[in-house]
Amino acid sequence: MSTSVDGLDVVTDGGVLRLTLQRPEKRNAMTSAMFDGISDAIDLAVADDAIRVVVIRGAGDHFCSGAQVGGAPGRGAGTDDEQAARPRTGHLQRTLHASPHRMVRTLFECEVPIVTGVQGFAAGIGNSLALAGDHVVATRSARFWVPFVTRGFTPDSGSTYLLPRLIGLARAKEMILRGKQVDGERAAQWGMVNEVVDDDALDDAVEAVVQEFASAATVSVGLAKQLMFRNLSGDLNGALEQEGLAEELAVRSDDFKEGMRAFGERRDPDYQGR
């Protein structure tokens, strides 16, 4: 099944949901419709037992250059009349919460693994979208960039939550406070991404991970993902309690039973995602 939503291609391919940013002439700068399209597609994937992995790509030479200037919530409108009619205080906070920040929450909270393949620029919210992947593959020439402060405003899209946890506070300050770009090689060294490859190897590298997740124990993968996300800001006792609850669910899945059978029979498991 394939649909298009104002710059976003949504394709269901067996157990894989493929989301492709389709504005290469704008370096895949994102509009509100694209934010909402990703959120809606992920919500549907979570509700569909057949979907076992999501992959997010950008068409053309770049992954995503951020929010479209002039079209993103709160960044200014297109006409003189619109610019003259300044929105009242709180407008930006509300629109961020309703559209781009909803997308970020949806990506982290969904119990489906996400693979992202990054080439060219991943800037602003494009950086957050790329790093929301549970497995991030980047080309050596990719550029991760958080330019908010250097343009006179403050970070959004979870940048101040995610980057310090991924790469440490000192490196996060380099990216956020000074707007330093990080290429694919350094991103791998810093632990921002899982894998760095030559530009012409990106498609194959992404697809290998997608197929691995597509044949994995989907229930267990989703529960484990949620445990790690929730316990980023929790304590040990809370983590142990959540792990116990997740284990209680996982051992009731068909995939758990298949995993135990395969172990006893000394063969590879044939997981069905249930």
Side-chain angles (χ1 to χ4, degrees), residues 132-150:
D134 299 300
H135 190 97
V136 185
V137 185
T139 64
R140 301 185 196 283
S141 62
R143 293 292 184 272
F144 296 88
W145 188 23
V146 188
F148 300 100
V149 171
T150 57

Side-chain angles (χ1 to χ4, degrees), residues 21 30 63-67 103-104 107-108 116 118 120-133 136 143-148 156-160 162-163 166-167 175-176 180-182 187 192-193:
L21 310 184
M30 296 186 72
F63 179 74
C64 176
S65 60
M103 180 191 75
V104 172
L107 292 167
F108 278 98
T116 55
V118 184
F121 275 107
I125 197 167
N127 181 77
S128 294
L129 177 61
L131 300 184
V136 185
R143 293 292 184 272
F144 296 88
W145 188 23
V146 188
F148 300 100
D156 59 38
S157 60
S159 301
T160 59
L162 182 59
L163 283 172
L166 281 176
I167 61 177
M175 294 189 69
I176 292 173
K180 297 299 182 181
Q181 296 181 21
V182 175
M192 287 175 62
V193 305

Side-chain angles (χ1 to χ4, degrees), residues 198-266:
D198 293 333
D199 290 19
D200 60 1
L202 182 62
D203 291 347
D204 288 344
V206 169
E207 195 60 25
V209 182
V210 168
Q211 294 306 317
E212 179 183 335
F213 277 129
S215 59
T218 307
V219 174
S220 296
V221 170
L223 289 170
K225 171 182 174 176
Q226 281 306 294
L227 285 171
M228 288 187 284
F229 172 63
R230 291 170 182 167
N231 291 330
L232 282 172
S233 56
D235 57 20
L236 175 60
N237 287 333
L240 294 172
E241 181 178 354
Q242 290 298 317
E243 286 175 354
L245 292 171
E247 197 74 61
E248 185 71 27
L249 293 173
V251 298
R252 283 165 168 70
S253 69
D254 291 342
D255 281 346
F256 170 79
K257 297 168 187 175
E258 165 60 12
M260 292 297 97
R261 283 194 299 269
F263 178 77
E265 296 168 7
R266 298 184 179 181

Side-chain angles (χ1 to χ4, degrees), residues 2-251:
S2 175
T3 60
S4 293
V5 183
D6 294 331
L8 177 71
D9 282 353
V10 180
V11 177
T12 302
D13 176 15
V16 182
L17 174 64
R18 300 180 186 275
L19 305 178
T20 305
L21 310 184
Q22 279 287 2
R23 300 184 76 214
E25 74 284 358
K26 299 290 186 181
R27 294 186 173 184
N28 294 318
M30 296 186 72
T31 64
S32 293
M34 294 166 73
F35 297 138
D36 294 341
I38 289 178
S39 298
D40 292 343
I42 296 292
D43 283 342
L44 289 174
V46 171
D48 185 351
D49 289 341
I51 300 299
R52 302 175 69 181
V53 59
V54 176
V55 57
I56 303 176
R57 301 290 306 274
D61 296 332
H62 299 277
F63 179 74
C64 176
S65 60
Q68 177 176 303
V69 176
R75 297 286 193 260
T79 68
D80 291 340
D81 289 343
E82 287 171 330
Q83 290 176 358
R86 293 180 180 274
R88 63 185 176 89
T89 300
H91 171 79
L92 176 55
Q93 187 274 332
R94 290 192 304 276
T95 51
L96 279 170
H97 178 81
S99 192
H101 284 184
R102 174 195 169 210
M103 180 191 75
V104 172
R105 285 192 301 272
T106 300
L107 292 167
F108 278 98
E109 291 174 359
C110 77
E111 290 189 9
V112 179
I114 297 171
V115 180
T116 55
V118 184
Q119 78 283 5
F121 275 107
I125 197 167
N127 181 77
S128 294
L129 177 61
L131 300 184
D134 299 300
H135 190 97
V136 185
V137 185
T139 64
R140 301 185 196 283
S141 62
R143 293 292 184 272
F144 296 88
W145 188 23
V146 188
F148 300 100
V149 171
T150 57
R151 292 180 177 174
F153 51 102
T154 53
D156 59 38
S157 60
S159 301
T160 59
Y161 172 88
L162 182 59
L163 283 172
R165 286 167 169 78
L166 281 176
I167 61 177
L169 189 57
R171 289 169 173 170
K173 287 179 179 178
E174 285 287 299
M175 294 189 69
I176 292 173
L177 302 184
R178 301 180 65 197
K180 297 299 182 181
Q181 296 181 21
V182 175
D183 63 22
E185 290 277 10
R186 180 162 292 185
Q189 293 169 3
W190 284 6
M192 287 175 62
V193 305
N194 302 85
E195 190 176 353
V196 62
V197 298
D198 293 333
D199 290 19
D200 60 1
L202 182 62
D203 291 347
D204 288 344
V206 169
E207 195 60 25
V209 182
V210 168
Q211 294 306 317
E212 179 183 335
F213 277 129
S215 59
T218 307
V219 174
S220 296
V221 170
L223 289 170
K225 171 182 174 176
Q226 281 306 294
L227 285 171
M228 288 187 284
F229 172 63
R230 291 170 182 167
N231 291 330
L232 282 172
S233 56
D235 57 20
L236 175 60
N237 287 333
L240 294 172
E241 181 178 354
Q242 290 298 317
E243 286 175 354
L245 292 171
E247 197 74 61
E248 185 71 27
L249 293 173
V251 298

